[in-house]
Every structure is written in structure tokens, then in C-alpha cells.
């Protein structure tokens, strides 16, 4: 086997090969190599005059980043179940953009291109799960001795990986209430390298003022990432509010049908994109081609689903808020939400998503154990099915009990 390192060290490699290796541009939906690291498609790679100008977000969700197959005319991107890709010659190594599916795969590249398009980013990486995307972010932008200001209300797995994996490796984390940007600014230290937002938060539905926090981050040269899984790009695109990176658990609203799992990390700039693409290549956590193919199909209905889910959630929230056995209901679309003004300003078209949080008077476990169809007790969110979850013993069971109680998890 001839690897990249031996090629670069070989006296037989021509100057044209080196140039192609360093800056090879792909045709169509491919990617490039830059500064010695692999990367896939970015929205800056192709300016296609065949496309109608100023297409809507709904149009991009269906068509963005996708072209009919050049050889067959297939309207769907094929599933490329191939480990390796044949090179015409050493001089033309990577001319077609693909060498090994751990680095780039045409089906996955098509999904990465589409995700970057609808998130309004320079480029994205698509990986095995949402947690893989989160881990890729920490692994890329933090080292031992670095500090992160992170929301005190997040997906339980995010909290756990900070405590159980990265703190023992010498990283520092301050878990802060992000509902007030002043709290974020006050927690910044000289060694702060990353600010980690989540909006709306899982499961308490609190919001972060992404523009204000991004201004703070930029003034101090700190990278700002937002997990926007609950909002989706259909409701809020963090990169439009100054964030440097967006995390999506594609398992949720992108898939939307409880079929597959996946994650994405989207970068606003080429510099950050090259860094996350290198991490993806080194970690080997690229999404499988079959999953990427399914995701390319299911995400086409994202807009239709989210509009209906938002409408349904608003009605359910209003019903529960008036129910005598509910002690509290939290939904960004309710007038009672303490950040309603921010929700209306930051969320698109008056949409506030399909998630809500509520407490009951009495034993909530009794409610969970006696739930009736069509409601289903299980983990996951964003799918077409109606799901109810006991967060404290399911999605957030791995948080420290005192942290759950302090932050009003129930």
C-alpha cells in the first residue's frame, strides 16, 4: 500500500503532483485538500450558474448541494459502498477527489454539502452521532490547560463527556447560566478558548442570546459554538447570529423519522472548516454512506414537519398551561416564557419548535408509566412520532444529581 506520507517523501513525486495534492479542487460535489489536510465540500467550492438565484430555504433543503448523477442521470445521489477509490496514476492522485472512505465518500460529501448550504456555513463534517460532533468540537478547539465556558443546561451526554473525559485530560469547564450574556462574560478566563452555547436547551427550553454572546466571544478572540439541535436551521441558524460553529444531532429533525443516527459540525470559515475536517479524518468518525443516503431523503420534509410540529407543540403547551394538574409549562412560544421577546427575535417566522417541558402535580413517573397511545415513552426527539421522556432518569440520568437539582431538572 502506498500512503500519503510516503508519496510526499518520495523523490519520484513530481511538482505537479505536489500541487494537485495541496490544492486539488474537485468537480461537482467533491472536496479539496488544503495545507496537507483532507477536507470535503464547502459552499465556496462551486458557483453554479445553472441554479436559480436566491432559492428559498425550503428549496435548498430539498435540492441544495445535489446534482443528478453525471453518468446515469439518477436524480438521487447514489450510495457509494466502496472502501477505496482507484487512482488513474500517481501524478493524478486525488484528481477525482476520493481515495479512501474514512476521509471522503461521495455520498457523505453530498450530505455535508447540503448541510453546509442550509446552515449557511463554509463547510461541514457529518459523523456517526450528535455526540461525535460534540466531541469533535472539543477535540479540535481545546487542549490540556484550556478553559471552556459552557451552558449549565445541555444535553446530558454533553455534560458527561466534559466531566468524565475532558476534565481528567486537563481541560477546564465552567457550567454557567447562558440566559444572561453577562454570566458568560464574567466566567471568561485568560485561558478560555471555547464558548459552548445550546439554544433552546435540552430539556429546560432556555435560550441563549447568540448575537450578544458572539459579540463577547469575538471581542476576546474566543471560538463560539452553538448546539442548535432543538431549533434546527429551519428556526434558527447560529452562524447568522455570529457563531463560529454549529452542532446538529442529525438524528433528530434532519432524520425526523426515527430511522438513523448522525451528527454534523458546521464551520463558518475555511480556517475552522479545515481544522474540523482534519479531526474527522484522524478520528475516523465519518458517517456511513448508507446513513448519509437515508438522511439525504428524510431531511427533504424538514420544513413541512417542523411547521406542523411547532403548531402542534404550541397547542399542547397552551392546553397543559391551563390544566389543573400541571404546575409549570415551558415553551418558547408561550407568552409566559421568560425569554419570549428573545424567542420572537431569534426564531424564524414565529416558529418555536416541537419540544416543550412541563411538570405535573404528583408523581410524574406514574404519568410516564401509564401514558396512552399515540404518545410513546422513549428517548429521542424531532421525529414524526409523539414522544414523552422522563429526562432525570433517561436522557439526563448521567448528570450529577446535585447539578440536576441546582439547575431545576426534575
Amino acid at each position: 500500500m502506498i500512503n500519503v506520507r510516503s508519496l510526499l517523501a518520495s523523490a519520484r513525486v513530481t511538482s505537479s503532483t505536489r500541487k494537485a495534492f495541496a490544492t486539488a479542487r474537485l468537480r461537482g460535489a467533491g472536496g479539496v485538500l488544503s495545507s496537507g489536510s483532507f477536507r470535503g465540500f464547502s459552499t465556496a467550492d462551486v458557483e453554479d450558474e445553472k441554479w436559480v438565484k436566491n432559492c428559498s430555504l425550503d428549496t435548498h433543503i430539498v435540492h441544495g448541494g445535489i446534482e443528478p448523477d453525471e453518468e446515469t442521470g439518477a436524480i438521487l445521489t447514489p450510495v457509494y459502498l466502496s472502501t477505496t477509490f482507484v487512482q488513474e496514476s500517481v501524478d493524478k492522485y486525488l484528481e477525482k477527489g476520493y481515495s479512501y472512505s474514512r476521509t471522503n465518500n461521495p455520498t457523505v460529501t453530498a450530505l455535508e454539502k447540503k448541510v453546509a448550504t442550509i446552515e449557511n456555513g463554509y463547510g461541514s463534517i457529518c459523523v456517526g452521532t450528535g455526540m461525535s460532533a460534540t466531541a469533535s468540537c472539543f477535540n479540535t478547539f481545546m487542549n490540556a490547560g484550556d478553559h471552556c465556558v459552557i451552558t449549565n443546561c445541555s444535553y446530558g451526554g454533553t455534560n458527561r463527556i466534559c466531566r468524565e473525559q475532558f476534565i481528567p485530560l486537563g481541560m477546564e469547564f465552567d457550567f454557567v447560566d447562558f440566559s444572561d450574556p453577562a454570566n458568560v462574560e464574567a466566567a471568561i478566563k485568560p485561558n478560555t478558548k471555547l464558548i459552548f452555547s445550546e439554544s433552546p436547551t435540552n430539556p429546560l427550553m432556555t435560550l441563549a442570546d447568540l448575537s450578544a454572546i458572539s459579540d463577547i466571544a469575538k471581542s476576546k478572540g474566543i471560538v463560539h459554538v452553538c448546539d442548535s439541535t432543538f431549533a434546527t436551521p429551519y428556526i434558527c441558524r447560529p452562524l447568522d447570529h455570529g457563531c463560529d460553529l454549529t452542532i446538529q444531532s442529525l438524528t433528530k429533525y434532519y432524520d425526523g423519522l426515527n430511522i438513523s443516527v448522525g451528527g454534523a459540525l458546521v464551520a463558518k470559515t475555511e480556517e475552522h472548516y479545515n481544522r474540523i475536517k482534519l479531526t474527522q479524518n484522524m478520528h475516523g468518525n465519518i458517517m456511513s454512506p448508507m446513513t448519509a443516503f437515508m438522511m439525504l431523503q428524510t431531511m427533504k420534509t424538514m420544513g413541512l414537519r417542523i411547521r406542523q410540529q411547532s403548531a402542534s407543540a404550541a397547542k399542547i403547551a397552551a392546553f397543559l398551561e391551563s390544566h389543573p394538574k400541571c404546575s409549570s409549562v415551558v415553551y418558547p412560544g408561550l407568552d409566559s416564557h421568560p425569554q419570549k421577546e428573545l424567542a420572537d427575535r431569534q426564531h424564524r417566522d414565529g416558529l418555536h419548535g416541537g419540544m416543550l417541558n412541563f411538570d405535573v402535580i404528583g408523581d410524574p413517573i406514574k404519568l410516564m408509566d401509564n401514558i396512552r397511545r399515540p404518545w410513546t415513552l422513549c428517548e429521542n426527539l424531532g421525529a414524526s412520532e409523539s414522544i414523552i421522556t422522563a429526562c432525570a432518569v433517561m436522557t439526563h440520568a448521567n448528570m450529577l444529581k446535585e447539578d440536576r437539582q441546582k439547575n431545576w431538572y426534575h
Side-chain angles (χ1 to χ4, degrees), residues 236-390:
C236 177
R237 299 195 298 194
L239 301 185
D240 291 347
H241 295 272
C243 293
D244 299 295
L245 300 132
T246 298
I247 290 172
Q248 289 286 351
S249 175
L250 301 177
T251 308
K252 310 306 191 288
Y253 289 97
Y254 271 80
D255 175 284
L257 298 176
N258 277 319
I259 293 176
S260 61
V261 295
L265 181 57
V266 190
K268 184 67 174 179
T269 68
E270 181 179 8
E271 176 192 359
H272 287 156
Y273 175 70
N274 286 337
R275 293 179 66 181
I276 64 175
K277 184 61 184 177
L278 177 60
T279 297
Q280 179 196 46
N281 187 40
M282 292 188 298
H283 287 194
N285 56 8
I286 191 170
M287 180 182 284
S288 76
M290 192 67 228
T291 299
F293 174 81
M294 291 188 292
M295 201 81 68
L296 283 165
Q297 314 321 317
T298 59
M299 68 179 290
K300 292 176 182 177
T301 59
M302 183 194 299
L304 295 172
R305 286 186 278 106
I306 289 174
R307 285 190 178 277
Q308 182 59 58
Q309 286 166 317
S310 295
S312 297
K315 291 180 181 178
I316 293 167
F319 166 78
L320 291 173
E321 193 171 44
S322 64
H323 200 288
K325 292 187 177 181
C326 281
S327 57
S328 70
V329 182
V330 185
Y331 180 68
L334 289 174
D335 290 337
S336 58
H337 193 286
Q339 297 174 289
K340 180 63 163 57
E341 183 276 330
L342 175 60
D344 289 340
R345 174 162 42 92
Q346 194 162 271
H347 292 171
R348 175 175 174 259
D349 288 353
L351 301 172
H352 298 292
M355 297 297 298
L356 61 88
N357 179 295
F358 71 100
D359 291 328
V360 297
I361 298 171
D363 183 5
I365 302 302
K366 184 177 180 180
L367 168 66
M368 301 290 178
D369 288 345
N370 292 276
I371 201 71
R372 294 172 132 187
R373 298 285 286 161
W375 294 96
T376 305
L377 177 65
C378 61
E379 295 190 32
N380 201 22
L381 60 99
S384 300
E385 289 75 18
S386 299
I387 293 173
I388 189 168
T389 301

Side-chain angles (χ1 to χ4, degrees), residues 156-301:
T158 301
N159 180 281
R160 175 171 60 178
I161 200 171
C162 294
R163 292 184 295 104
E164 299 291 338
Q165 180 173 345
F166 292 123
I167 289 178
L169 292 175
M171 300 178 189
E172 302 173 21
F173 294 85
D174 276 325
F175 298 90
V176 173
D177 178 4
F178 270 52
S179 63
D180 185 352
N183 296 334
V184 178
E185 187 166 23
I188 292 174
K189 300 178 179 180
N191 60 334
T192 302
K193 295 295 189 292
L194 185 68
I195 294 175
F196 193 110
S197 302
E198 184 173 304
S199 188
T201 59
N202 180 352
L204 298 185
M205 307 304 298
T206 56
L207 306 180
D209 187 331
L210 299 180
S211 295
I213 296 173
S214 292
D215 287 343
I216 294 169
K218 283 180 170 53
S219 72
K220 299 179 182 297
I222 300 169
V223 174
H224 182 201
V225 60
C226 178
D227 184 333
S228 188
T229 297
F230 268 31
T232 79
Y234 204 78
I235 292 176
C236 177
R237 299 195 298 194
L239 301 185
D240 291 347
H241 295 272
C243 293
D244 299 295
L245 300 132
T246 298
I247 290 172
Q248 289 286 351
S249 175
L250 301 177
T251 308
K252 310 306 191 288
Y253 289 97
Y254 271 80
D255 175 284
L257 298 176
N258 277 319
I259 293 176
S260 61
V261 295
L265 181 57
V266 190
K268 184 67 174 179
T269 68
E270 181 179 8
E271 176 192 359
H272 287 156
Y273 175 70
N274 286 337
R275 293 179 66 181
I276 64 175
K277 184 61 184 177
L278 177 60
T279 297
Q280 179 196 46
N281 187 40
M282 292 188 298
H283 287 194
N285 56 8
I286 191 170
M287 180 182 284
S288 76
M290 192 67 228
T291 299
F293 174 81
M294 291 188 292
M295 201 81 68
L296 283 165
Q297 314 321 317
T298 59
M299 68 179 290
K300 292 176 182 177
T301 59

Side-chain angles (χ1 to χ4, degrees), residues 9 24-25 47 55 61 88 120 126 254 286 288 294 368 370:
R25 290 276 170 182
E47 295 181 2
C55 291
I61 288 173
E88 186 176 339
N120 198 25
C126 289
Y254 271 80
I286 191 170
S288 76
M294 291 188 292
M368 301 290 178
N370 292 276

